[in-house]
Amino acid sequence: MKPLVIVTRKLPASVELRMKELFNVRLNGDDKVFTQKDLIAAVKEAHVLVTTVTDKISWDVLSKVAPDLKMIANYGVGVDHIDLVSARNKGITVTNTPGVLTEDTADMAMLLILGITRRMSEGEKMLRAGKWKIWSPTGMLGMRLRDKNLGIIGMGRIGQALALRAKTFGLNIHYHNRQKIDDGLEKNIGATYWTSLDQMITQMDIISLNCSSTPDTRHIMSRRRIGLMKKNAYLINTTRGDVVDEDALIWALEEEIIAGVGLDVYKNEPNINPRLLNFDNALLTPHMGSATDEARIAMGEKVIMNVKIFLDGHSPRDRVLA
Ligand code: 8YV
């Protein structure tokens, strides 16, 4: 009997087809999201579980795994929804899909930067509501990007891809990272490194969060740090909701402490805090960073490669270490 691969969500058709050719796979045809009960049933039966960001693989689930479960192959880069330490203690290999959604997620961050600073969604809503009366010299004014300061928090693959895009729009690139990136790369991007995140924040016109969500980065944009932002500055988040103190962000919008936000990710997805919906200066998208046909197929191909290599008895390249 071939090892059983259980996939928790519906994946692109070509990915599912290839999975059927290669593995003894159980797909999720109607895409009904697995409950905790479904996840527990799955880890009791599967040899490999293919997860997404919508599956909370907590200790509650991992404590129920049967000895057969050997691998969690995540479809996506972020693995903050998986209790990695417990998985390691259970001898489960965890993989993700880095590299194939970098460009699309960086595009999304750039889109939010352009959209919020030029009030695109606000203008479109006004037009659709029939409220656009006439062109006005002082109407719908936004902020020019050229010569403004963009501060990137987390200069990994996506941060760097965003920096290259932003540079062509004339933004000055600044960044804060656990480590300074190598000099050649820094020069190529034309980026300035700040060891002090607090100091960087005070000088930026736009701040973009591009770090992964870990216990260290949780609420990295805390209430105190949001309070350090310039009054005319914007905050962009395309990584995970919990890197920002969302309640503090709402407070900052209410008190007009910052100019606006562009968000693709939230604290409690898909349940958006209704207070966020009140602001015209909040451009909000539903976790769409990697939502292109190309990225979602490439993510599936990475999952297939990781699972195949693992089932063939080798160590997959995209292993995530706890
Ligand atoms: C994915 C993401 O769509 O890869 C990630 O970390 O945030 C998204 O782009 C999602 O995680 C799929 O599981």
Side-chain angles (χ1 to χ4, degrees), residues 151-153 174-178 192-204 207 220 224-225 228:
I152 297 177
I153 302 178
H174 300 258
Y175 75 100
H176 173 80
N177 201 36
R178 268 173 309 179
T192 304
Y193 178 59
W194 294 73
T195 36
S196 164
L197 176 57
D198 287 6
Q199 282 178 21
M200 180 178 91
I201 289 170
T202 63
Q203 304 301 313
M204 296 300 116
I207 290 168
I220 194 166
R224 182 185 66 77
R225 288 203 171 116
L228 294 176

Side-chain angles (χ1 to χ4, degrees), residues 226-245:
I226 293 169
L228 294 176
M229 288 173 67
K230 284 165 60 171
K231 198 175 154 51
N232 59 350
Y234 296 86
L235 184 79
I236 307 297
N237 189 8
T238 50
T239 173
R240 283 292 181 271
D242 67 357
V243 298
V244 182
D245 179 342

Side-chain angles (χ1 to χ4, degrees), residues 7-305:
V7 183
T8 63
R9 298 294 305 273
K10 186 172 173 55
L11 301 181
S14 63
V15 173
E16 294 197 337
L17 191 66
R18 191 73 187 124
M19 283 182 159
K20 280 197 265 186
E21 284 165 2
L22 289 171
F23 311 126
N24 170 24
V25 66
R26 187 183 301 156
L27 301 168
N28 181 355
D30 60 12
D31 202 27
K32 194 167 161 282
V33 177
F34 277 34
T35 60
Q36 288 281 291
K37 222 173 123 205
D38 298 330
L39 286 171
I40 289 169
V43 296
K44 284 183 175 166
E45 211 187 339
H47 293 78
V48 175
L49 185 68
V50 177
T51 55
T52 76
V53 68
T54 53
D55 304 306
K56 186 139 185 57
I57 311 295
S58 58
W59 169 246
D60 284 351
V61 172
L62 288 171
S63 61
K64 312 282 189 331
V65 297
D68 280 348
L69 186 80
K70 292 283 181 266
M71 179 186 205
I72 297 174
N74 189 58
Y75 179 87
V77 181
V79 284
D80 50 300
H81 54 291
I82 302 173
D83 177 348
L84 292 175
V85 174
S86 300
R88 186 193 56 201
N89 292 340
K90 289 272 176 189
I92 299 166
T93 295
V94 178
T95 57
N96 66 348
T97 62
V100 292
L101 44 81
T102 306
E103 305 298 323
D104 305 270
T105 309
D107 285 348
M108 195 70 202
M110 197 65 228
L111 186 151
L112 290 175
I113 291 173
L114 285 162
I116 190 62
T117 55
R118 296 302 302 272
R119 304 172 63 177
M120 191 182 139
S121 164
E122 205 186 327
E124 207 224 8
K125 269 184 237 153
M126 181 179 81
L127 179 145
R128 284 182 188 270
K131 290 184 182 159
W132 183 39
K133 299 296 171 225
I134 192 164
W135 180 88
S136 147
T138 55
M140 291 308 292
L141 305 187
M143 181 181 87
R144 174 191 286 172
L145 291 185
R146 185 154 296 278
D147 296 330
K148 298 295 190 306
N149 289 335
L150 167 66
I152 297 177
I153 302 178
M155 200 56 140
R157 291 186 199 84
I158 297 171
Q160 290 171 28
L162 170 63
L164 290 173
R165 285 158 175 72
K167 199 178 147 188
T168 65
F169 281 89
L171 282 156
N172 305 316
I173 312 301
H174 300 258
Y175 75 100
H176 173 80
N177 201 36
R178 268 173 309 179
Q179 279 155 4
K180 197 171 172 315
I181 56 174
D182 80 59
D183 287 348
L185 191 57
E186 201 175 78
K187 209 165 155 227
N188 182 30
I189 294 173
T192 304
Y193 178 59
W194 294 73
T195 36
S196 164
L197 176 57
D198 287 6
Q199 282 178 21
M200 180 178 91
I201 289 170
T202 63
Q203 304 301 313
M204 296 300 116
D205 300 295
I206 303 163
I207 290 168
S208 175
L209 284 149
N210 297 99
C211 52
S212 44
S213 160
T214 67
D216 287 343
T217 59
R218 187 171 185 277
H219 286 193
I220 194 166
M221 281 309 282
S222 58
R223 184 183 174 106
R224 182 185 66 77
R225 288 203 171 116
I226 293 169
L228 294 176
M229 288 173 67
K230 284 165 60 171
K231 198 175 154 51
N232 59 350
Y234 296 86
L235 184 79
I236 307 297
N237 189 8
T238 50
T239 173
R240 283 292 181 271
D242 67 357
V243 298
V244 182
D245 179 342
E246 200 172 273
D247 296 327
L249 197 60
I250 291 169
W251 155 79
L253 289 167
E254 278 168 357
E255 299 297 320
E256 297 179 15
I257 285 167
I258 61 173
V261 296
L263 305 177
D264 188 47
V265 286
Y266 307 87
K267 180 167 130 188
N268 194 17
E269 296 176 13
N271 305 308
I272 306 297
N273 186 325
R275 284 161 70 204
L276 264 179
L277 306 177
N278 294 333
F279 304 109
D280 282 336
N281 55 345
L283 175 50
L284 309 173
T285 51
H287 200 146
M288 290 161 56
S290 67
T292 64
D293 287 331
E294 292 84 350
R296 293 292 164 84
I297 289 170
M299 286 159 70
E301 285 167 354
K302 274 227 142 192
V303 169
I304 290 172
M305 200 176 64

